[in-house]
Amino acid sequence: MSLRRLPVLAGAAALLLTTACGGGGGSRPGERPAQTLSSTDPEAAAAELLAEMSLEEKVGQLFVPVLTGTTAEENADVIERYHPGGFIYFPENLESPEQVAAMSNGLQELAADSGAGVPLFLGVDEEQGLVSRLPFGARFPDAMAVGATRDPEAASGLAAATAEQLAAVGINLDYAPVADVNVNPDNPVIGIRSFGADPELVGEMAAAETAAFQEGGVVAVAKHFPGHGDTDVDSHTGLPVIDKSREEWERVDLPPFRRLVEAGVDMIMTAHVLMPQLDGSQEPATLSPELIDGVLRGELGYDGVVTTDALNMEGVRQTHDDGEVAVRAVLAGADQLLMPPDLDLAYSAVLEAVQEGRISEQRLDESVLRVLKLKLRRGLFDASPADAETAAGVAGNTAHHEAAQRVADASVTLLRNNGGVLPLREGTSVRVLGAGAEEIGAALADLGVTVADSVSGADVVVVGTDGARGDAEQRDLVAQAVTSGSPVVVVAQGTPYDLGVLPDVDAYLAVYSSMEVSRTAAARAIVGEVSPSGRLPVDIPGTDLVFGDGLGY
């Protein structure tokens, strides 16, 4: 436990001294007599709370379902019936800062009036960049752009701004950062969500984000243990198999998670990946006692909360029905079950497994205690309601938007500049094509560049790409630009691996993100307003470019 959180803990414990916690046995809300907690220590207070919870309430704390609608009342029945440990927001639940704040407040009020009155984890996937759910607030570039800056302050600044935005609307948990080391250029699900291919870089950046999230009062969730960076299958649609040795895994994938465990990360998410050389059970990591209880808890000494990745993903639904998946995840060592596709089926299966002794009550209590202790440590029991006016102000915080632009500017990596085509000379006319053409062109025009209507009327052709390595149409567009005879500048907004299949371009800028700030940063680098200072966070197959490369002006 970080000493920085002690003042919050004391406040939470003080409030708990007057919390209504009475006897178990499935009592209805309002029937519990007021009872005091004798300790201000989170562990002791959590144990007292646990002792007063019914079996049904304890099982409920394991579950984190998807929210319905845009109001708290639409989820009242789920709270009353299952007493869930939390919920996860998605774009369909998020409209405006004021609406999200009101919904968060309403959900917490319903939880306070239900069962043991345990507050909810209200979480969201707000990694920034590609995976960003909020329709408001500053949009930072993706993690790989942050990795290209080589600056831990960029990572902590991103997380601090994000935490402030989330906390302002009552969201107290973020399923971030990504601690995967992306060493597979064909990874269909991680890619630019990773800080890069170097374990030390990934660990440093993930640790910086984790600290900033937690200091901002938001639970950080490192993902996806034991590592999802060396896959060529998306676990949303299938089960990735990572057939690497224990030694190779310890060298590449493990170091960021080890660092985060040592740094006291609040929560770790499991991956739906099969690693046959680490675990002979033929089960994905989410269902593997050997990987969760054996490696993560036993070898690394992690005693924080372990959450599954979403249980509606096909990677964990290959060999068991949805109820059995939930039971096996608990038996493997998971403390929270995220997004079960059928909440009633999963909840009933776990409850029955406890009642029949397949899951011991001791095993159940271990998970519930971890959940309760984390809620106490992060001050959920005495958190103030979100304020609509404050939420709206934070969403429009100019400083956050400026910080996002600084990160994007610092990430721009120049990997080819034949003939010194960049920066553009004064008076150069440019035709902009491909991914992000409208935004890049508008940014260039704002910087005084003449943007041509056709390739034939341009001195230079700028082509935006985003995944051209796997997209023939994008490669053809670049090839057509090359045949024009004008110098061709590619702005890669996905992974930088595109350069390996675009050998004939004159200049190549990697910005690692399709966010507006990254497209603006590319334009600024093209005209020389920003000197490219980013460095490759990965190797690029098919070229001689490796981790750390990058040109300047």
Side-chain angles (χ1 to χ4, degrees), residues 525-542:
I526 286 170
V527 303
E529 184 168 311
V530 168
S531 180
S533 61
R535 294 295 177 262
L536 259 182
V538 298
D539 299 338
I540 300 183

Side-chain angles (χ1 to χ4, degrees), residues 84-149:
F87 286 100
I88 182 170
Y89 281 101
F90 278 93
E92 55 267 29
N93 312 123
L94 305 165
E95 294 178 341
S96 68
E98 296 86 347
Q99 171 265 325
V100 181
M103 189 172 183
S104 298
N105 291 343
L107 290 166
Q108 296 291 15
E109 289 170 5
L110 289 168
D113 291 337
S114 175
V118 178
L120 298 159
F121 284 137
L122 296 178
V124 69
D125 281 311
E126 192 68 17
E127 298 170 11
Q128 291 286 2
L130 181 67
V131 179
S132 183
R133 311 301 191 197
L134 296 183
F136 47 79
R139 292 294 296 274
F140 282 75
D142 293 82
M144 194 169 283
V146 178
T149 72

Side-chain angles (χ1 to χ4, degrees), residues 23-28 32 50-63 78-85 114-118 343-344 346-348 350-352 354-355 361 364-365 368:
S27 300
R28 307 298 296 169
R32 293 175 181 267
L50 180 76
E52 301 300 334
M53 294 173 70
S54 70
L55 177 61
E56 292 79 7
E57 290 163 0
K58 289 193 284 188
V59 170
Q61 285 298 303
L62 307 185
F63 288 92
V78 171
I79 293 173
E80 176 62 26
R81 184 172 180 182
Y82 300 106
H83 310 290
S114 175
V118 178
L343 175 59
D344 187 69
Y347 175 90
S348 299
V350 172
L351 179 62
E352 182 178 344
V354 177
Q355 291 170 332
E361 288 200 47
L364 174 64
D365 287 353
V368 179

Side-chain angles (χ1 to χ4, degrees), residues 228-272:
H228 210 314
D230 194 11
T231 63
D232 57 9
V233 172
D234 185 345
S235 54
H236 291 85
T237 58
L239 177 59
V241 178
I242 304 175
D243 194 16
K244 63 171 56 174
S245 68
R246 170 79 187 229
E247 292 73 23
E248 178 71 2
W249 173 74
E250 287 184 353
R251 184 182 70 82
V252 176
D253 303 279
L254 176 60
F257 290 102
R258 185 190 299 278
R259 179 165 182 167
L260 291 170
V261 168
E262 292 171 352
V265 65
D266 284 333
M267 193 178 293
I268 292 178
M269 177 184 285
T270 63
H272 305 325

